[in-house]
Amino acid sequence: MAVFELKHPLIEHKLSNLRNKHTDTKLFRESLNEIAGLMVYEATKHLPLKEIETETPIQKTTTKVLDKPITLVPILRAGLGMIDGILQLLPNAKVGHLGVYRNEETLEPVYYYAKMPTNVVESQVFVVDPMLATGGSMIYTLDYLKEKGVKNITVLCIIGAPEGIKKFTEKHPDVDLYIAAIDDGLNEHAYIYPGLGDAGDRIFGTK
């Protein structure tokens, strides 16, 4: 397992839009999706390929295509904000959904919904969530997928706190994490700081 913090100039530039409290909903959504697309480019470098015969306008030749189905699993609701950017690069990916929210009193994950593609077990699965704070929701999601038999999982997050990353890596040491920025920590309310606010509210304009 490895943690990859993607220090790319384009990602850092767009991350500034997400952090800025004056960024409107439109720009926030656009920047989030653009970062997600840039991140998945890096996170798919390890995907296996198979050779096929292809006929070009000149002759038959051998080319390479992806050898495994891909499933995206956004953690509802904020994870949905990253899906369009990823589908731009992986248009044939299927999308499962897992609904988990954090109880603000206990800080424990609360499950409420799941719907996965029928071939999720055979897939390369990318779990996406903009924020990895305490790690509770992510750990629950990975536990759920592994109980279903999924073996190939990669996680994409925009920002994370060291506390949540530590819990995540201890619980699931076999899962790679790609993250745009590791922030300073969690405040007394278990929110990431400096952070970017509530990603779900900023994506959907609910505050």
Side-chain angles (χ1 to χ4, degrees):
M1 184 271 175
V3 176
F4 301 95
E5 187 177 12
L6 303 179
K7 291 291 189 179
H8 191 286
L10 291 179
I11 290 177
E12 297 202 42
H13 175 83
K14 295 173 188 301
L15 185 56
S16 292
N17 293 335
L18 300 187
R19 293 196 190 278
N20 189 338
K21 70 177 184 179
H22 300 296
T23 296
D24 62 21
T25 300
K26 178 178 181 293
L27 181 57
F28 191 92
R29 288 175 182 161
E30 290 172 349
S31 299
L32 187 68
N33 272 299
E34 288 166 355
I35 292 173
L38 291 166
M39 292 179 68
V40 82
Y41 178 81
E42 290 294 320
T44 52
K45 283 184 175 180
H46 68 287
L47 293 183
L49 296 168
K50 66 179 178 182
E51 292 186 344
I52 63 168
E53 186 179 87
T54 300
E55 188 169 359
T56 78
I58 309 301
Q59 67 178 60
K60 289 184 179 180
T61 188
T62 300
T63 59
K64 296 178 180 180
V65 295
L66 294 175
D67 190 35
K68 189 177 295 232
I70 294 174
T71 296
L72 312 179
V73 178
I75 300 178
L76 303 180
R77 64 182 168 146
L80 291 172
M82 298 171 66
I83 292 299
D84 286 348
I86 296 173
L87 287 175
Q88 290 290 319
L89 291 178
L90 300 172
N92 293 321
K94 294 186 177 180
V95 181
H97 296 84
L98 191 70
V100 185
Y101 69 90
R102 183 175 70 180
N103 183 304
E104 294 302 331
E105 294 183 1
T106 66
L107 303 182
E108 293 298 317
V110 179
Y111 161 85
Y112 65 92
Y113 181 77
K115 183 72 172 180
M116 297 293 151
T118 56
N119 67 340
V120 66
V121 173
E122 296 81 31
S123 296
Q124 167 64 55
V125 172
F126 291 94
V127 177
V128 298
D129 195 2
M131 307 177 77
L132 180 61
T134 64
S137 295
M138 184 60 70
I139 289 169
Y140 180 94
T141 300
L142 298 179
D143 287 344
Y144 173 89
L145 290 169
K146 288 183 176 181
E147 287 171 5
K148 292 289 184 184
V150 179
K151 299 185 183 303
N152 300 296
I153 308 172
T154 300
V155 170
L156 302 180
C157 294
I158 305 298
I159 65 170
E163 298 93 324
I165 293 171
K166 182 174 184 292
K167 286 177 62 177
F168 163 82
T169 55
E170 289 175 349
K171 180 69 174 176
H172 293 284
D174 58 325
V175 178
D176 287 341
L177 169 65
Y178 287 80
I179 192 163
I182 299 174
D183 278 14
D184 295 336
L186 298 174
N187 65 16
E188 63 274 16
H189 302 293
Y191 295 151
I192 301 171
Y193 70 88
L196 49 80
D198 186 297
D201 285 335
R202 299 193 69 187
I203 292 164
F204 299 108
T206 48
K207 275 191 181 178

